[in-house]
Amino acid sequence: MAPDLRIEPATEDDVPLVLKLVKKLAEYERLSHEVIATEEDFRKALFGSDRVAEALLAFLGAEPVGFALYFSTFSTFVGRPGIYLEDIFVEPEHRGHGIGAALLTRIAKIACDRNCGRLEWSVLTWNEPAIGFYERLGARRMEDWRVFRLAGAALRDMAGAG
């Protein structure tokens, strides 16, 4: 791990940086067309009165090189809270130096401090470098599970708000 690596909780002043890193992640995942979030969305989600998520930023010296965004969940089977890692990203030129592992380690510590039973996340099936990285850290694939999503018109239709 780089000796000058810092992992810090994002502050409200970091909102533009968080959005910038989210857009870089979306570009890497070939999903830029899906990013509609604004700085105001992140300000409310991360720092509003009804805060629903948290973010960590990774810095090498003063240079931002990555982030992780996560939120609380609950497992009925375990009977305890959990953490869902929505996104983790390290700038491509800084990968392979322990930054992603440091971000995950910090979130794992937060999960343990909060008595969580699980830390979970999803990964795109084509992203073999990330899958290999997660497996090397001891994470296991949940082969029997599939992610489902209701969004946009389908969500509004389901809610009767179509």
Short mmCIF file of all heavy atoms in Angstrom, two decimals, residues 27-61:
data_model
loop_
_atom_site.label_atom_id
_atom_site.label_comp_id
_atom_site.label_asym_id
_atom_site.label_seq_id
_atom_site.Cartn_x
_atom_site.Cartn_y
_atom_site.Cartn_z
N GLU A 27 -18.21 5.57 -16.73
CA GLU A 27 -17.48 5.48 -18.00
C GLU A 27 -16.74 4.15 -18.10
O GLU A 27 -16.80 3.46 -19.12
CB GLU A 27 -16.50 6.65 -18.10
CG GLU A 27 -15.75 6.72 -19.41
CD GLU A 27 -14.82 7.92 -19.44
OE1 GLU A 27 -15.18 8.99 -18.93
OE2 GLU A 27 -13.70 7.75 -19.98
N TYR A 28 -16.05 3.76 -17.04
CA TYR A 28 -15.33 2.48 -17.01
C TYR A 28 -16.29 1.30 -17.21
O TYR A 28 -15.97 0.35 -17.92
CB TYR A 28 -14.58 2.33 -15.68
CG TYR A 28 -13.98 0.96 -15.50
CD1 TYR A 28 -12.82 0.60 -16.19
CD2 TYR A 28 -14.57 0.03 -14.66
CE1 TYR A 28 -12.27 -0.67 -16.03
CE2 TYR A 28 -14.02 -1.23 -14.50
CZ TYR A 28 -12.87 -1.57 -15.19
OH TYR A 28 -12.34 -2.82 -15.04
N GLU A 29 -17.47 1.39 -16.61
CA GLU A 29 -18.45 0.31 -16.70
C GLU A 29 -19.30 0.40 -17.97
O GLU A 29 -20.22 -0.39 -18.14
CB GLU A 29 -19.35 0.32 -15.46
CG GLU A 29 -18.62 -0.08 -14.21
CD GLU A 29 -19.51 -0.12 -12.97
OE1 GLU A 29 -20.58 0.54 -12.96
OE2 GLU A 29 -19.12 -0.81 -12.01
N ARG A 30 -19.00 1.36 -18.83
CA ARG A 30 -19.74 1.57 -20.09
C ARG A 30 -21.21 1.89 -19.81
O ARG A 30 -22.11 1.46 -20.53
CB ARG A 30 -19.63 0.33 -20.98
CG ARG A 30 -18.20 -0.06 -21.28
CD ARG A 30 -18.12 -1.35 -22.06
NE ARG A 30 -16.82 -1.96 -21.80
CZ ARG A 30 -16.61 -3.25 -21.65
NH1 ARG A 30 -17.60 -4.10 -21.78
NH2 ARG A 30 -15.42 -3.71 -21.39
N LEU A 31 -21.44 2.65 -18.75
CA LEU A 31 -22.80 2.99 -18.34
C LEU A 31 -23.00 4.51 -18.16
O LEU A 31 -23.91 4.94 -17.47
CB LEU A 31 -23.15 2.27 -17.03
CG LEU A 31 -23.20 0.75 -17.11
CD1 LEU A 31 -23.29 0.14 -15.71
CD2 LEU A 31 -24.36 0.29 -17.98
N SER A 32 -22.17 5.30 -18.81
CA SER A 32 -22.27 6.76 -18.67
C SER A 32 -23.67 7.28 -18.99
O SER A 32 -24.14 8.24 -18.36
CB SER A 32 -21.25 7.46 -19.56
OG SER A 32 -19.94 7.19 -19.14
N HIS A 33 -24.32 6.65 -19.94
CA HIS A 33 -25.67 7.08 -20.34
C HIS A 33 -26.70 6.93 -19.22
O HIS A 33 -27.77 7.50 -19.29
CB HIS A 33 -26.11 6.28 -21.57
CG HIS A 33 -26.18 4.81 -21.32
ND1 HIS A 33 -25.05 4.01 -21.31
CD2 HIS A 33 -27.23 3.99 -21.07
CE1 HIS A 33 -25.40 2.76 -21.05
NE2 HIS A 33 -26.72 2.73 -20.90
N GLU A 34 -26.37 6.18 -18.16
CA GLU A 34 -27.32 5.99 -17.06
C GLU A 34 -27.15 6.99 -15.93
O GLU A 34 -27.97 7.04 -15.02
CB GLU A 34 -27.20 4.56 -16.51
CG GLU A 34 -27.69 3.51 -17.49
CD GLU A 34 -27.86 2.14 -16.86
OE1 GLU A 34 -27.89 2.05 -15.62
OE2 GLU A 34 -27.95 1.17 -17.62
N VAL A 35 -26.10 7.78 -15.95
CA VAL A 35 -25.85 8.72 -14.86
C VAL A 35 -26.71 9.97 -15.04
O VAL A 35 -26.49 10.76 -15.95
CB VAL A 35 -24.35 9.12 -14.77
CG1 VAL A 35 -24.15 10.13 -13.64
CG2 VAL A 35 -23.48 7.90 -14.54
N ILE A 36 -27.68 10.10 -14.16
CA ILE A 36 -28.53 11.30 -14.16
C ILE A 36 -28.41 12.05 -12.84
O ILE A 36 -28.98 13.11 -12.67
CB ILE A 36 -30.01 10.95 -14.45
CG1 ILE A 36 -30.56 9.99 -13.41
CG2 ILE A 36 -30.15 10.36 -15.86
CD1 ILE A 36 -32.07 9.78 -13.49
N ALA A 37 -27.66 11.50 -11.89
CA ALA A 37 -27.49 12.11 -10.57
C ALA A 37 -26.84 13.48 -10.69
O ALA A 37 -26.02 13.72 -11.57
CB ALA A 37 -26.63 11.20 -9.68
N THR A 38 -27.21 14.34 -9.76
CA THR A 38 -26.67 15.69 -9.71
C THR A 38 -25.93 15.89 -8.38
O THR A 38 -26.07 15.07 -7.46
CB THR A 38 -27.79 16.75 -9.80
OG1 THR A 38 -28.61 16.64 -8.61
CG2 THR A 38 -28.64 16.57 -11.05
N GLU A 39 -25.21 16.98 -8.28
CA GLU A 39 -24.56 17.30 -7.01
C GLU A 39 -25.60 17.43 -5.91
O GLU A 39 -25.38 16.97 -4.79
CB GLU A 39 -23.75 18.60 -7.14
CG GLU A 39 -22.48 18.42 -7.93
CD GLU A 39 -21.64 19.69 -7.99
OE1 GLU A 39 -21.87 20.63 -7.18
OE2 GLU A 39 -20.72 19.73 -8.84
N GLU A 40 -26.73 18.03 -6.23
CA GLU A 40 -27.78 18.19 -5.21
C GLU A 40 -28.31 16.84 -4.75
O GLU A 40 -28.59 16.65 -3.56
CB GLU A 40 -28.92 19.07 -5.74
CG GLU A 40 -29.96 19.39 -4.70
CD GLU A 40 -29.41 20.09 -3.44
OE1 GLU A 40 -28.37 20.77 -3.51
OE2 GLU A 40 -30.03 19.92 -2.38
N ASP A 41 -28.45 15.88 -5.67
CA ASP A 41 -28.87 14.53 -5.28
C ASP A 41 -27.89 13.94 -4.27
O ASP A 41 -28.29 13.36 -3.25
CB ASP A 41 -28.94 13.60 -6.50
CG ASP A 41 -30.04 13.97 -7.47
OD1 ASP A 41 -31.08 14.51 -7.04
OD2 ASP A 41 -29.85 13.72 -8.69
N PHE A 42 -26.59 14.07 -4.55
CA PHE A 42 -25.59 13.53 -3.64
C PHE A 42 -25.55 14.31 -2.32
O PHE A 42 -25.36 13.72 -1.26
CB PHE A 42 -24.20 13.49 -4.29
CG PHE A 42 -24.03 12.31 -5.19
CD1 PHE A 42 -24.05 12.45 -6.56
CD2 PHE A 42 -23.86 11.04 -4.66
CE1 PHE A 42 -23.90 11.35 -7.39
CE2 PHE A 42 -23.71 9.93 -5.47
CZ PHE A 42 -23.73 10.09 -6.85
N ARG A 43 -25.74 15.61 -2.39
CA ARG A 43 -25.75 16.41 -1.17
C ARG A 43 -26.87 15.93 -0.24
O ARG A 43 -26.65 15.74 0.96
CB ARG A 43 -25.91 17.89 -1.53
CG ARG A 43 -25.65 18.84 -0.39
CD ARG A 43 -25.50 20.29 -0.85
NE ARG A 43 -24.16 20.49 -1.41
CZ ARG A 43 -23.89 20.60 -2.72
NH1 ARG A 43 -24.85 20.58 -3.61
NH2 ARG A 43 -22.66 20.77 -3.14
N LYS A 44 -28.05 15.71 -0.79
CA LYS A 44 -29.18 15.24 0.02
C LYS A 44 -28.94 13.82 0.53
O LYS A 44 -29.20 13.52 1.70
CB LYS A 44 -30.47 15.27 -0.80
CG LYS A 44 -31.01 16.65 -1.04
CD LYS A 44 -32.27 16.58 -1.90
CE LYS A 44 -32.77 17.95 -2.25
NZ LYS A 44 -33.90 17.91 -3.19
N ALA A 45 -28.47 12.94 -0.35
CA ALA A 45 -28.29 11.53 0.02
C ALA A 45 -27.20 11.33 1.07
O ALA A 45 -27.32 10.49 1.96
CB ALA A 45 -27.97 10.70 -1.22
N LEU A 46 -26.12 12.10 0.95
CA LEU A 46 -24.98 11.92 1.84
C LEU A 46 -25.00 12.82 3.08
O LEU A 46 -24.42 12.46 4.10
CB LEU A 46 -23.67 12.16 1.07
CG LEU A 46 -23.37 11.22 -0.09
CD1 LEU A 46 -22.17 11.70 -0.88
CD2 LEU A 46 -23.16 9.80 0.42
N PHE A 47 -25.66 14.00 2.97
CA PHE A 47 -25.55 14.96 4.06
C PHE A 47 -26.88 15.60 4.47
O PHE A 47 -26.89 16.44 5.36
CB PHE A 47 -24.54 16.06 3.69
CG PHE A 47 -23.20 15.49 3.35
CD1 PHE A 47 -22.79 15.39 2.02
CD2 PHE A 47 -22.37 15.01 4.34
CE1 PHE A 47 -21.57 14.82 1.70
CE2 PHE A 47 -21.14 14.44 4.04
CZ PHE A 47 -20.74 14.35 2.71
N GLY A 48 -27.97 15.21 3.83
CA GLY A 48 -29.27 15.79 4.15
C GLY A 48 -29.82 15.29 5.47
O GLY A 48 -29.24 14.42 6.14
N SER A 49 -30.95 15.83 5.86
CA SER A 49 -31.56 15.44 7.13
C SER A 49 -32.00 13.97 7.12
O SER A 49 -32.06 13.35 8.18
CB SER A 49 -32.74 16.36 7.45
OG SER A 49 -33.70 16.29 6.42
N ASP A 50 -32.29 13.44 5.96
CA ASP A 50 -32.65 12.02 5.83
C ASP A 50 -31.54 11.28 5.09
O ASP A 50 -31.79 10.55 4.12
CB ASP A 50 -33.97 11.86 5.06
CG ASP A 50 -35.15 12.41 5.85
OD1 ASP A 50 -35.11 12.33 7.09
OD2 ASP A 50 -36.08 12.91 5.23
N ARG A 51 -30.32 11.44 5.54
CA ARG A 51 -29.14 10.82 4.91
C ARG A 51 -29.36 9.33 4.71
O ARG A 51 -29.79 8.62 5.61
CB ARG A 51 -27.95 11.07 5.83
CG ARG A 51 -26.66 10.54 5.31
CD ARG A 51 -25.58 10.96 6.24
NE ARG A 51 -25.11 9.79 6.96
CZ ARG A 51 -23.99 9.75 7.63
NH1 ARG A 51 -23.24 10.83 7.73
NH2 ARG A 51 -23.62 8.66 8.22
N VAL A 52 -29.07 8.85 3.50
CA VAL A 52 -29.29 7.44 3.18
C VAL A 52 -28.03 6.69 2.78
O VAL A 52 -28.06 5.47 2.59
CB VAL A 52 -30.36 7.27 2.08
CG1 VAL A 52 -31.73 7.77 2.56
CG2 VAL A 52 -29.93 7.97 0.79
N ALA A 53 -26.92 7.40 2.63
CA ALA A 53 -25.69 6.75 2.18
C ALA A 53 -24.49 7.48 2.78
O ALA A 53 -24.61 8.59 3.31
CB ALA A 53 -25.60 6.76 0.65
N GLU A 54 -23.34 6.82 2.66
CA GLU A 54 -22.08 7.39 3.13
C GLU A 54 -21.03 7.16 2.05
O GLU A 54 -21.17 6.24 1.24
CB GLU A 54 -21.64 6.71 4.42
CG GLU A 54 -22.62 6.89 5.56
CD GLU A 54 -22.24 6.07 6.78
OE1 GLU A 54 -21.21 6.38 7.39
OE2 GLU A 54 -22.98 5.12 7.10
N ALA A 55 -19.99 7.97 2.07
CA ALA A 55 -18.94 7.82 1.07
C ALA A 55 -17.57 8.00 1.72
O ALA A 55 -17.42 8.79 2.65
CB ALA A 55 -19.12 8.83 -0.06
N LEU A 56 -16.61 7.26 1.20
CA LEU A 56 -15.21 7.40 1.57
C LEU A 56 -14.45 7.83 0.33
O LEU A 56 -14.78 7.41 -0.78
CB LEU A 56 -14.64 6.07 2.05
CG LEU A 56 -15.24 5.46 3.31
CD1 LEU A 56 -14.66 4.07 3.55
CD2 LEU A 56 -14.99 6.36 4.52
N LEU A 57 -13.42 8.64 0.54
CA LEU A 57 -12.55 9.06 -0.55
C LEU A 57 -11.14 8.60 -0.25
O LEU A 57 -10.70 8.62 0.90
CB LEU A 57 -12.57 10.58 -0.70
CG LEU A 57 -13.91 11.16 -1.15
CD1 LEU A 57 -13.90 12.68 -1.01
CD2 LEU A 57 -14.21 10.75 -2.58
N ALA A 58 -10.45 8.17 -1.30
CA ALA A 58 -9.05 7.77 -1.19
C ALA A 58 -8.19 8.84 -1.83
O ALA A 58 -8.47 9.28 -2.95
CB ALA A 58 -8.83 6.42 -1.88
N PHE A 59 -7.14 9.22 -1.13
CA PHE A 59 -6.21 10.25 -1.62
C PHE A 59 -4.78 9.72 -1.56
O PHE A 59 -4.40 9.07 -0.58
CB PHE A 59 -6.27 11.51 -0.75
CG PHE A 59 -7.57 12.23 -0.77
CD1 PHE A 59 -8.56 11.91 0.15
CD2 PHE A 59 -7.81 13.23 -1.69
CE1 PHE A 59 -9.77 12.59 0.15
CE2 PHE A 59 -9.02 13.91 -1.70
CZ PHE A 59 -10.01 13.59 -0.78
N LEU A 60 -4.02 10.01 -2.59
CA LEU A 60 -2.57 9.85 -2.54
C LEU A 60 -2.02 11.25 -2.44
O LEU A 60 -2.12 12.03 -3.39
CB LEU A 60 -2.03 9.16 -3.79
CG LEU A 60 -2.22 7.65 -3.87
CD1 LEU A 60 -1.70 7.11 -5.18
CD2 LEU A 60 -1.52 6.96 -2.70
N GLY A 61 -1.50 11.59 -1.28
CA GLY A 61 -1.15 12.97 -1.04
C GLY A 61 -2.42 13.80 -1.11
O GLY A 61 -3.40 13.49 -0.45
#
